[in-house]
Amino acid sequence: MGKVHGSLARAGKVKSSTPPVEAQEKKKKPTGRAMKREKYNRRFVNVSATMVGGKRRMNPAPAK
């Protein structure tokens, strides 16, 4: 069995100490074809000038 980072006595200390918040009512997300269409528009149609390299990376390193 692998090692545990930190003692398990402290597990969940943040979640238990934060006050509960009511979930907000949100608009339904499109599914299926409509979701694919939205993704396509976001990635290829509404591209900004800052994204010159083509693909948008998840966690890009700052440009040097």
Side-chain angles (χ1 to χ4, degrees), residues 38-51:
E38 202 173 75
K39 253 191 224 174
Y40 170 79
N41 286 333
R42 196 182 313 137
R43 289 180 184 175
F44 303 108
V45 178
N46 299 334
V47 288
S48 58
T50 56
M51 201 183 80

Side-chain angles (χ1 to χ4, degrees), residues 19-27:
V21 179
E22 293 264 331
Q24 293 180 339
E25 216 171 283
K26 294 179 202 130
K27 214 168 121 183

Side-chain angles (χ1 to χ4, degrees), residues 10-64:
R10 290 195 300 266
K13 69 182 172 97
V14 173
K15 187 173 181 181
S16 62
S17 65
T18 54
V21 179
E22 293 264 331
Q24 293 180 339
E25 216 171 283
K26 294 179 202 130
K27 214 168 121 183
K28 173 178 91 68
K29 283 201 174 155
T31 55
R33 175 200 49 78
M35 184 172 64
K36 295 276 187 200
R37 179 176 173 222
E38 202 173 75
K39 253 191 224 174
Y40 170 79
N41 286 333
R42 196 182 313 137
R43 289 180 184 175
F44 303 108
V45 178
N46 299 334
V47 288
S48 58
T50 56
M51 201 183 80
V52 181
K55 199 170 182 189
R56 196 166 128 222
R57 304 269 159 31
M58 284 299 201
N59 193 8
K64 291 179 184 173

Side-chain angles (χ1 to χ4, degrees), residues 1-8:
M1 201 95 74
K3 303 274 187 202
V4 177
H5 292 282
S7 71
L8 291 175

